[in-house]
Amino acid sequence: MTSPTVKLNNGHQMPLVGFGLWKVNNDTCADTVYNAIKSGYRLFDGACDYGNEVESGQGVARAIKEGIVKREDLFLVSKLWNSFHDEERVDPICKKQLKDWGIDYFDLYIVHFPISLKYVDPSERYPPGFTYDGENVVPGKATIRETWTAMEALVQKGLCKSIGISNFNGALIMDLLRYAKIVPATLQIEHHPYLTQLGLVEFAQSQGIAVTAYSSFGPLSFLEMDMKQAKDTPLLFENQAIKKIAEQHKKTPAQVLLRWATQRNVAVIPKSNNQARLAQNLNVTDFDLSKSEIEDISNLNKALRFNDPLNYGVPQPIYV
């Protein structure tokens, strides 16, 4: 079984359900990617900052070598980290990431955050994280326009087929659209019933920008990071409204949460190390929620954001 797709504004097809590589351990990553491909996953969402692109590429290479898939069957995604926003840094780091993956092009390459940080040479520390020297966060000088122009050049060079943005708000998108020669193909945002961002989703989709949700299960992704806000928030899997809807459809709460997004044409990128849940998470387009069920889930909104740099002690107030 593979996922249905959503058509991007440049004509390329992107799977509606993919596999997120954030926090996939290096020692298991290659096998995880390989097994996910065997289970039917075709989109893999990676990033420089995840620190596992070499291993992700090893899993892809094994699946291709064994004839399970061809490269063109896959939709491989990576992201430009904040330390490489200067125009002259974008091309070299993209090429490094491609080399790490062992591929010639990305299907989608995304600006990870609308944050420019001072350049850190990959030979000194990679991935660099938010700090310049391991302790201090030092802002960079690059504007979003400078970075986006360099991103557009990657498409013309054939290094990626599509380019997108992540963690942008409406005002930044409106500004970007004024000068962009290539409209972002996708917008990736934190999106779950505690943070619905319905206005942002609707605006992006109205501009022909496909939306991808990350952290679809809300606080669950952040518990292992010892985030107090996540520990103080009730798990969505235990929410009575979601459990009731799941029972009515004979699905798991996870499947209901993912269907809440995909039914509104919002792509999802869950991850799991469990083979049974891998299959369950992929199987989230064969049933429909009623309008009232979607509304009941959306009404859980608390405007509660977990993936905010300020929550990690990083003084980059992009959401204030």
Side-chain angles (χ1 to χ4, degrees):
M1 177 184 177
T2 56
S3 167
T5 61
V6 57
K7 188 175 183 180
L8 302 180
N9 57 27
N10 55 14
H12 293 299
Q13 298 285 341
M14 180 180 78
L16 197 56
V17 182
F19 189 95
L21 294 165
W22 181 43
K23 297 190 287 133
V24 175
N25 293 335
N26 294 76
D27 58 346
T28 59
C29 185
D31 286 341
T32 297
V33 169
Y34 171 77
N35 288 325
I37 292 173
K38 286 181 69 176
S39 297
Y41 285 86
R42 295 296 178 261
L43 185 152
F44 290 87
D45 181 83
C48 156
D49 191 51
Y50 303 165
N52 56 15
E53 294 196 289
V54 170
E55 294 83 0
S56 298
Q58 291 169 350
V60 166
R62 179 181 169 193
I64 291 175
K65 183 178 180 181
E66 293 184 10
I68 299 170
V69 288
K70 298 177 181 176
R71 168 63 185 93
E72 55 267 28
D73 298 328
L74 299 172
F75 194 99
L76 302 180
V77 183
S78 192
K79 304 181 187 75
L80 176 77
W81 185 242
N82 311 330
S83 310
F84 308 107
H85 276 214
D86 299 302
E87 185 174 9
E88 69 274 16
R89 307 296 185 189
V90 174
D91 180 285
I93 200 63
C94 180
K95 288 177 178 174
K96 173 185 166 33
Q97 291 176 259
L98 287 169
K99 184 178 179 181
D100 286 348
W101 276 87
I103 58 178
D104 298 324
Y105 66 91
F106 288 120
D107 294 276
L108 175 63
Y109 194 58
I110 295 171
V111 178
H112 204 149
F113 280 98
I115 297 172
S116 171
L117 297 178
K118 188 173 181 179
Y119 174 69
V120 177
D121 193 299
S123 66
E124 294 181 16
R125 192 174 73 254
Y126 189 86
F130 274 101
T131 64
Y132 172 66
D133 53 7
E135 293 183 10
N136 301 297
V137 178
V138 181
K141 303 282 190 183
T143 64
I144 292 173
R145 183 169 190 168
E146 175 185 338
T147 303
W148 191 252
T149 299
M151 293 284 287
E152 291 173 327
L154 299 179
V155 177
Q156 279 149 33
K157 294 172 186 174
L159 298 178
C160 49
K161 291 188 174 182
S162 303
I163 50 177
I165 51 179
S166 181
N167 301 304
F168 277 52
N169 63 24
L172 289 176
I173 297 170
M174 290 172 67
D175 187 61
L176 187 154
L177 291 176
R178 293 186 176 102
Y179 55 77
K181 294 177 181 176
I182 299 177
V183 173
T186 67
L187 166 68
Q188 190 172 123
I189 56 172
E190 182 178 345
H191 181 65
H192 47 73
Y194 288 151
L195 182 68
T196 58
Q197 304 199 81
L198 296 182
L200 181 57
V201 171
E202 290 170 6
F203 171 66
Q205 291 178 335
S206 76
Q207 300 301 306
I209 302 171
V211 177
T212 297
Y214 68 77
S215 298
S216 294
F217 304 142
L220 187 65
S221 298
F222 302 90
L223 288 176
E224 63 195 74
M225 303 173 75
D226 204 33
M227 184 181 289
K228 183 179 186 302
Q229 188 180 35
K231 291 192 287 187
D232 292 343
T233 303
L235 291 177
L236 285 165
F237 287 174
E238 301 300 323
N239 181 274
Q240 290 304 311
I242 291 171
K243 289 173 69 175
K244 182 179 178 182
I245 293 170
E247 289 168 5
Q248 289 173 340
H249 290 274
K250 295 182 172 56
K251 297 290 184 179
T252 66
Q255 288 174 310
V256 168
L257 291 169
L258 296 173
R259 187 56 177 148
W260 171 76
T262 60
Q263 194 167 323
R264 295 177 294 111
N265 224 28
V266 174
V268 293
I269 46 172
K271 78 173 178 74
S272 177
N273 294 319
N274 179 285
Q275 197 65 33
R277 285 196 293 271
L278 267 178
Q280 289 174 354
N281 289 346
L282 191 59
N283 185 24
V284 292
T285 56
D286 66 342
F287 70 103
D288 286 331
L289 303 174
S290 68
K291 183 179 178 181
S292 64
E293 288 172 333
I294 289 176
E295 290 175 352
D296 287 345
I297 295 172
S298 297
N299 286 338
L300 297 173
N301 183 45
K302 301 175 185 287
L304 184 55
R305 187 187 304 277
F306 299 102
N307 194 36
D308 184 334
L310 297 179
N311 288 344
Y312 308 114
V314 176
Q316 295 292 298
I318 58 175
Y319 296 119
V320 299

